[in-house]
Amino acid sequence: MNSSVLVINCGSSSIKYALIPAAADQPRLAGIAERLGSSDAFLKGIDSRGERFEKALLPGVDHTRALEAILEHLEGHRPAAVGHRVVHGGERFTRAARIDDEVIATIEATAALAPLHNPANLEGVAATCKLFPDLPQVAVFDTAFHQSLPPQAFRYALPEALYRDHGIRRYGFHGTSHAFVSERADALGGIEGGWLTAHLGNGCSTCAVWEGRSLDTSMGLTPLEGLVMGTRSGDVDPSLHAHLARQLGWSLERIDEVLNRGSGLLGLSGLTNDMRELEVAASEGHENARLAIEVFCYRIAKSLAALSCALPRLDGIVFTGGIGENSPLVREKVVSHLPHFGLGLDRTVNAQTVRGREGRIDGGHPAAPRLWVIPTDEEGRIAEETRQLLDETTP
Ligand code: AMP
């Protein structure tokens, strides 16, 4: 398929979009509609000249109306297909799927595992089906790349019936990002290697990839497991819920809210979930900002060391995501916690590899694992998987 794909990432009150042309050197139109349903909904984005725009949307605007407003900003381009990011594909989807009634029903059935995300993703599907009834629509799942995990990595040590009857297992997320950067690391290194990938943004996860297959990852049943994130706690003692309920009388909703939205960098620092602001505050002597960065980096290193058990050989570590791509400080601290990996860090190159630059930041020693910074491209990957699937299935 040789034309553009509209990529849609739909949240409960937002729609992120990107029109991805077939040729990599063509400009992308992209943006986000936010605060849908509220009185101050707005749309902002970037046009084909690279200029930014922002405009208010009607109060109470729904997903279909917001998509109509987005279409006006596609400058007359008509996509050939729509690729949807869908967060949870359960065990049913090991790759992208062309959307039909059966696929919609399966995504609905998986909503119990991702109650905040899957219903919102389906709203996006319904809205685009209404506006483009004749275009093929494809669902690309965050979980699909991790369906190659072996049982020893995806099973929790819980009674078997919880897995068999209720699907309670580790699924992993950020699959499109881990797939994209590990494939790029293979291409850059000229090998199908063993990579540890660290996607560090507002959400954070690590992944062990061997010959293009995910063998383990830090997120689990939900995206709360694993690393410290912007506002999510990551791993805590599983008894914490019972403790907070019994000792403090907290409701399940409150515990969920605190662990998902009031913890992580924000909770530790008491200041912000934004790593840029934390780095400034820490340099000015803010003790809790410093602690938040230390815990964040130590936990990343600990996770990478644990995931290295999944790999027959470690060829390198890849940093990506807003923090992974832009914070030399975080990368240096993570590397400093892994002396037994024999890593070398070129501090000058590390400092220069920011703002969307791809680069190898280790010292170049041939026997040492490589360290790469690779900007992720989740939208590009969703468009590519959409094209691939349609090429294979369209007569
Ligand atoms: P993402 O979710 O991938 O967009 O990443 C968001 C995170 O990236 C936020 O915590 C930002 O503070 C962080 N970030 C973006 N730019 C920088 C930077 N120059 N230095 C440190 N962190 C950054």
Side-chain angles (χ1 to χ4, degrees), residues 151-176:
Q152 67 186 27
F154 77 67
R155 286 291 297 276
Y156 291 114
L158 291 170
E160 209 259 331
L162 287 176
Y163 168 59
R164 193 186 57 231
D165 301 337
H166 303 284
I168 296 187
R169 51 159 284 179
R170 307 182 63 251
Y171 290 94
F173 299 87
H174 289 147
T176 49

Side-chain angles (χ1 to χ4, degrees), residues 199-203 265 273-276 279 321-323 326-327:
H199 177 106
L200 310 174
N202 226 341
L265 293 172
N273 62 333
D274 190 315
M275 183 55 83
R276 274 168 297 207
E279 288 187 14
I323 299 173
N326 290 298
S327 176

